[in-house]
Amino acid sequence: METCDRSPFPKLWLLAAHAGLAPVSRDSGRRQGHQIRPHRYHRGLRRVFSMSSFTALTHCPRSRAYYDKKRAEGKTHRQATAALSRQRLNVLWACIRDKIPYQPKQPRSAELAPCELA
């Protein structure tokens, strides 16, 4: 007897491809590294992650720092938000895989300690 515990997406890259967050390679001949956004993907799922990214930019300092890092690397706004969406998908996948609720990382105690003046 077989149980129905299997996820419809057994691998992270399959979920990312379904959501339109995994690039599609368009290499040919001598041309390498040419990747584009896929044409076929679940638009509603991609919109969920896009809206999640926009909300995280205003409310989550770590997401804002990641976005700013991508912009400093020379990425456009769309590329940076797509990268943030993919990062959020990775976190969601880890929560599903480990069967644990999302818990944001707590800052280290050194970051919370006030400065002591000598």
Side-chain angles (χ1 to χ4, degrees):
M1 186 170 171
E2 188 175 343
T3 59
C4 295
D5 293 330
R6 294 186 184 172
S7 169
F9 303 105
K11 302 283 184 190
L12 172 60
W13 65 270
L14 290 172
L15 178 58
H18 183 71
L21 297 173
V24 174
S25 178
R26 290 290 180 184
D27 298 342
S28 65
R30 295 181 188 171
R31 188 175 184 176
Q32 294 180 358
H34 184 238
Q35 297 180 335
I36 63 167
R37 185 172 65 171
H39 295 287
R40 298 181 66 181
Y41 58 90
H42 193 283
R43 281 157 173 71
L45 191 55
R46 182 171 172 102
R47 181 163 174 81
V48 165
F49 281 105
S50 296
M51 295 303 291
S52 170
S53 296
F54 287 129
T55 302
L57 283 176
T58 57
H59 297 292
C60 178
R62 288 179 190 253
S63 294
R64 173 51 84 171
Y66 184 80
Y67 173 82
D68 291 338
K69 181 180 94 168
K70 289 296 176 183
R71 289 304 305 255
E73 290 174 3
K75 304 288 186 194
T76 64
H77 169 72
R78 285 186 176 194
Q79 291 171 327
T81 54
L84 181 58
S85 295
R86 176 60 191 258
Q87 184 190 43
R88 296 182 67 79
L89 177 81
N90 294 348
V91 171
L92 176 67
W93 176 258
C95 291
I96 292 170
R97 180 195 63 210
D98 299 338
K99 296 179 180 159
I100 58 171
Y102 173 72
Q103 294 293 328
K105 289 183 180 178
Q106 297 296 324
R108 287 180 263 163
S109 59
E111 293 175 0
L112 292 176
C115 285
E116 295 181 1
L117 298 175

